[in-house]
Amino acid sequence: MVQLIKRYLKSGVLENGIVIETEEGSPQGGNLSPLLANIYLNEFDQEFLKRGVPVVRYADDIVLLAKSKRASERLLESSIRYLEGKLKLTVNREKSRTVSVFAIRNFKFLGLALGRNGNGIFVRVHSKSLKKFKSKLKALSSRRSVQSIKPSLEKIKVYARGWLNYYGIATMKNSIEEINGWLYHRIRMCIWKQWKKPKTKVRNLIKMGVPKELAWQAGNSRRGYWFTTQTVAVNMAMTKKD
């Protein structure tokens, strides 16, 4: 096993089709990196737990908890000394800092953050993670990329299911309801664009139970996709159940 790991570390990395030798460390983003970090940093965990410091760590992402700002600053310095001195690792000083775990912008761990209200402390999805999620959904539901609606919906379903499974421990009902409504609107836009001609739009709306007058108004509208797909006629025809 040791020889296999050694061969992996010495195998190099592929950049723009060119193999580059690795002199030290594990390739960034490599599938073995988290495992090696867990093995190597176990000594760090045990040392700081022995000192009575609560440690939360995944691979090389570490959170050390302290009761005051002054204590956290001392803890930051001692942990850096241990990592760089004892374990011979290089610490990213820009990312290593002391912050409140409730700081909305500054504290993020594995895409999650903490919040508190009258009921106590809760886990939430960090705003950057939500923004990235919405950006990916936007790309998957783009009017240019969606050629056929069913395969596109399946891609969205697979991606959203994986994302929700990962962030399932977080409180995010309001955020998800907002994104859900926005996504349904984008899907209606894709369908509307595929119908192309006004007469096709009118015919399909009538087939879906929209009164003729409303269908004619929507189908012949010169307004943009976003506006038109918010009209009563389109909302009546394209329900979430459909």
Side-chain angles (χ1 to χ4, degrees):
M1 180 59 74
V2 174
Q3 289 301 316
L4 185 62
I5 292 173
K6 185 176 180 180
R7 286 173 60 190
Y8 176 87
L9 294 175
K10 295 292 184 181
S11 62
V13 293
L14 192 65
E15 290 186 9
N16 300 320
I18 301 171
V19 177
I20 300 173
E21 292 185 5
T22 48
E23 297 180 3
E24 60 180 6
S26 176
Q28 182 71 27
N31 52 12
L32 197 60
S33 298
L35 176 61
L36 293 177
N38 283 336
I39 294 170
Y40 196 70
L41 289 171
N42 181 62
E43 184 180 334
F44 175 89
D45 298 343
Q46 300 307 315
E47 174 63 27
F48 279 82
L49 286 172
K50 225 186 290 181
R51 299 182 190 183
V53 177
V55 179
V56 183
R57 181 178 64 78
Y58 177 81
D60 60 353
D61 288 333
I62 305 170
V63 175
L64 300 176
L65 301 174
K67 292 182 178 180
S68 68
K69 182 172 178 58
R70 188 174 178 183
S72 68
E73 289 170 350
R74 290 198 301 267
L75 193 54
L76 176 63
E77 290 304 315
S78 64
S79 61
I80 290 175
R81 279 199 305 271
Y82 190 88
L83 289 166
E84 294 188 333
K86 177 79 173 177
L87 299 182
K88 309 299 181 187
L89 296 171
T90 302
V91 176
N92 187 328
R93 301 290 180 123
E94 290 182 5
K95 291 184 177 180
S96 303
R97 60 190 187 278
T98 61
V99 296
S100 167
V101 292
F102 299 111
I104 296 173
R105 295 182 181 178
N106 295 326
F107 181 78
K108 182 176 75 147
F109 184 66
L110 304 180
L112 297 164
L114 294 177
R116 55 184 170 186
N117 54 26
N119 297 320
I121 297 170
F122 61 93
V123 178
R124 63 185 174 190
V125 182
H126 195 274
S127 57
K128 288 183 179 178
S129 302
L130 278 171
K131 188 176 180 181
K132 189 176 179 181
F133 177 51
K134 196 172 179 179
S135 178
K136 179 66 175 178
L137 290 176
K138 187 175 182 180
L140 290 172
S141 60
S142 166
R143 297 197 309 269
R144 293 179 181 178
S145 63
V146 175
Q147 301 300 321
S148 179
I149 200 67
K150 285 187 177 180
S152 298
L153 287 176
E154 188 58 32
K155 288 179 183 178
I156 291 170
K157 184 179 176 181
V158 170
Y159 173 71
R161 185 192 295 129
W163 192 92
L164 289 168
N165 283 340
Y166 177 82
Y167 289 101
I169 64 168
T171 301
M172 53 178 168
K173 183 182 177 182
N174 292 339
S175 298
I176 291 301
E177 285 180 352
E178 182 185 335
I179 290 174
N180 200 35
W182 167 83
L183 181 60
Y184 273 114
H185 190 177
R186 289 188 61 79
I187 291 168
R188 289 196 298 270
M189 274 202 310
C190 292
I191 296 170
W192 192 249
K193 185 185 179 185
Q194 287 180 351
W195 287 351
K196 295 181 180 179
K197 296 180 180 179
K199 63 179 181 180
T200 305
K201 294 172 181 176
V202 173
R203 184 174 65 248
N204 286 337
L205 288 174
I206 293 172
K207 279 183 182 178
M208 298 171 87
V210 178
K212 287 184 179 180
E213 186 178 344
L214 277 178
W216 190 91
Q217 287 175 0
N220 289 280
S221 174
R222 295 185 178 182
R223 303 295 292 268
Y225 293 113
W226 187 259
F227 178 87
T228 309
T229 47
Q230 290 184 94
T231 59
V232 174
V234 178
N235 281 321
M236 188 185 297
M238 303 182 200
T239 64
K240 292 181 180 180
K241 290 182 181 179
D242 297 330

